[in-house]
Amino acid sequence: ATFTHITDYMGFEGLLTEEERMIRETARKFVNAEVLPIIEKHAQDQTFPKHLIPKMGELGFYGPSLPEEYGCMGVSNVAYGLLMYELERGDSGLRSFASVQGSLVMWPIYAYGSEAQKKHWLPKLATGEKIGCFGLTEPDFGSNPGGMLTKAVREPGGKWRINGTKMWITNGTVADVAVVWAQTEDGIRGFLVEKGTPGFSAPEMKGKWSLRASTTSELVLEDVIVDETASLLPNVKGLKGPLGCLTQARYGIAWGALGAADACYQCALDYAKSRIQFDKPIASFQLQQEKLAWMVTELTKGQLLVHQLGRLKDAKTFTPAQVSMAKMNNVNVALEICRKARTILGANGILDEYPVMRHMANLESVYTYEGTHDMHTLVIGQEVTGIPAYR
Ligand code: FAD
């Protein structure tokens, strides 16, 4: 597939503004030129393509909808979503990098930080000169982060002492600053912990079959002492702090997953038209057409869902339960689209000559992180029945 166009069955492009189309087009060209030629090797080698960090900053991939006064682009949430779509068409690992940087590090500094913290961090995070990570999950607390054991205790002289272990932290090893969530005497609070602080380390986790072109780490905090003014995010208390960040990131993921699906759909469509079996292109067989019809239908429904969600987000009326529906549905259908594409490619579907198996394996992580498929199902269940069913 040449990937010159986004899959557009239902006039999706017509829903976009001129600026949104331009932003998407620039991102598409970047991904085609800079990501597709190198990404399979990075995935095979389990390395993140670090040289792309400043280029992605230049294109505004980090916190694009945050205001220009902090070095961001102040564009619409639909433009942000389109960027995530294009980036994940390259690889979910790259989109994860941008999601963490923009939604899980820049956004909480913007929404919960002091003016000095915002001025200090946001412009450098926007360009990619500094890298951030988000430490919420722990070895024993994944879907239930409210039970976290990491603890921060006030010390004399405006200091805090933090102890605990975080796990599965994207960008942890490479980050200059970690947003660490910890229990305190006033509930869960967020802290900015800088690389090199004594007692703080971030060993890389290896051995993943998914998101191989993304760095995943533990965060170990052993009697880490931080300064309250520089480190504590002053304007939020409680689990709503980290959950607010996750709502931002999940919004981008609901768009991004479709990018991976689009790549697999286009690849399968091309392949089906050119692969000959029983003297005919396999695209002429009803069983293969059924798969392609299902794939393009679900991709189209997903696009319309996130477009509406983006407009609601711009109007500041969107709810976390609406984001749950989009994340749950779009990641689920994206994974299924990739699986069907894999079958259409036959044996070639497992090779790294095609992007399909990489996307499929990546989406297994996306299905689980940022709230598992099941947890989002429970959010929607509670929304429509009024009855929580988590425990
Ligand atoms: P568990 O919570 O143990 O869940 C296991 C299974 O039980 C799931 O199927 C789940 O749906 C189900 N389950 C749990 N509770 C219920 C219930 N009440 N009812 C029904 N079913 C239930 N975290 C961060 O903080 N920062 C990051 O940057 C980050 N990056 C990640 C990168 C990768 C590659 C991965 C894989 C994970 C990352 N995570 C990160 C962690 C991720 O958010 C967690 O894995 C996720 O929240 C699920 O937690 P868990 O893996 O402990 O699964």
Side-chain angles (χ1 to χ4, degrees):
T2 51
F3 298 122
T4 49
H5 291 94
I6 187 171
T7 299
D8 186 357
Y9 192 89
M10 200 62 80
F12 174 71
E13 289 267 312
L15 298 171
L16 309 177
T17 65
E18 191 56 38
E19 180 183 66
E20 288 162 352
R21 269 197 295 273
M22 261 174 50
I23 289 174
R24 191 191 59 63
E25 202 47 41
T26 313
R28 168 158 293 252
K29 286 187 181 136
F30 162 78
V31 168
N32 287 352
E34 309 260 358
V35 179
L36 300 186
I38 54 132
I39 195 63
E40 296 292 344
K41 175 146 177 43
H42 279 282
Q44 288 285 7
D45 294 348
Q46 287 193 74
T47 52
F48 179 77
K50 284 196 193 114
H51 66 284
L52 296 178
I53 294 172
K55 293 186 187 176
M56 292 197 289
E58 266 168 48
L59 290 178
F61 278 120
Y62 313 136
S65 50
L66 296 183
E68 289 170 79
E69 64 172 305
Y70 298 114
C72 303
M73 296 198 296
V75 296
S76 74
N77 282 292
V78 169
Y80 165 39
L82 289 163
L83 284 174
M84 298 303 112
Y85 188 111
E86 290 299 339
L87 200 51
E88 194 148 358
R89 191 174 57 76
D91 191 77
S92 304
L94 285 168
R95 200 272 307 136
S96 297
F97 185 96
S99 289
V100 169
Q101 183 88 347
S103 294
L104 299 181
V105 179
M106 293 169 68
W107 190 84
I109 294 173
Y110 171 69
Y112 311 142
S114 66
E115 198 49 43
Q117 288 168 338
K118 290 186 220 187
K119 288 212 169 83
H120 179 72
W121 286 109
L122 293 179
K124 289 179 189 141
L125 289 162
T127 58
E129 182 190 335
K130 296 284 181 192
I131 300 167
C133 72
F134 178 86
L136 179 64
T137 305
E138 299 187 357
D140 293 327
F141 293 91
S143 298
N144 178 24
M148 70 175 68
L149 299 175
T150 298
K151 214 172 163 181
V153 181
R154 228 181 257 279
E155 294 273 306
K159 306 279 183 196
W160 287 80
R161 180 186 297 271
I162 313 175
N163 276 292
T165 307
K166 300 288 179 181
M167 208 175 171
W168 296 109
I169 308 307
T170 303
N171 297 347
T173 311
V174 293
D176 300 289
V177 61
V179 176
V180 172
W181 299 94
Q183 303 279 7
T184 73
E185 58 188 9
D186 341 306
I188 292 170
R189 304 290 306 259
F191 294 86
L192 303 175
V193 179
E194 288 198 54
K195 191 179 198 155
T197 308
F200 176 49
S201 60
E204 186 166 356
M205 296 169 63
K206 287 283 190 184
K208 289 175 293 162
W209 286 118
S210 169
L211 281 189
R212 288 170 65 88
S214 169
T215 307
T216 312
S217 317
E218 276 179 68
L219 303 183
V220 183
L221 300 112
E222 289 171 335
D223 286 325
V224 170
I225 303 285
V226 292
D227 177 64
E228 171 159 323
T229 316
S231 171
L232 178 71
L233 294 174
N235 300 327
V236 76
K237 280 183 196 166
L239 197 57
K240 70 174 191 292
L243 293 187
C245 308
L246 293 171
T247 298
Q248 303 300 314
R250 286 164 183 165
Y251 166 78
I253 291 169
W255 280 89
L258 296 181
D262 195 337
C264 290
Y265 165 71
Q266 291 196 16
C267 189
L269 179 61
D270 262 28
Y271 190 89
K273 289 196 281 193
S274 61
R275 172 72 175 167
I276 310 291
Q277 288 295 288
F278 300 94
D279 308 317
K280 285 171 156 183
I282 59 169
S284 64
F285 301 130
Q286 288 185 357
L287 284 176
Q288 304 315 315
Q289 286 197 4
E290 190 278 334
K291 291 179 202 170
L292 291 164
W294 186 90
M295 290 157 80
V296 72
T297 304
E298 292 306 322
L299 182 54
T300 303
K301 284 156 68 180
Q303 289 171 340
L304 298 176
L305 181 59
V306 280
H307 179 267
Q308 169 64 2
L309 188 66
R311 295 295 180 228
L312 293 178
K313 192 171 189 315
D314 280 334
K316 299 193 174 26
T317 62
F318 88 146
T319 66
Q322 290 171 335
V323 180
S324 282
M325 181 182 280
K327 194 273 183 184
M328 180 197 75
N329 179 75
N330 285 10
V331 177
N332 191 41
V333 297
L335 184 52
E336 206 46 44
I337 287 168
C338 295
R339 287 177 179 149
K340 285 193 197 291
R342 216 294 299 150
T343 70
I344 292 173
L345 268 71
N348 277 323
I350 72 161
L351 278 185
D352 67 2
E353 223 172 282
Y354 299 91
V356 176
M357 188 92 179
R358 176 173 50 82
H359 281 307
M360 190 181 100
N362 282 342
L363 287 174
E364 292 290 350
S365 287
V366 181
Y367 189 84
T368 286
Y369 74 21
E370 294 276 354
T372 67
H373 182 82
D374 299 335
M375 297 313 288
H376 290 299
T377 307
L378 295 178
V379 171
I380 300 168
Q382 179 177 1
E383 180 76 3
V384 298
T385 64
I387 307 167
Y390 303 95
R391 50 180 90 234

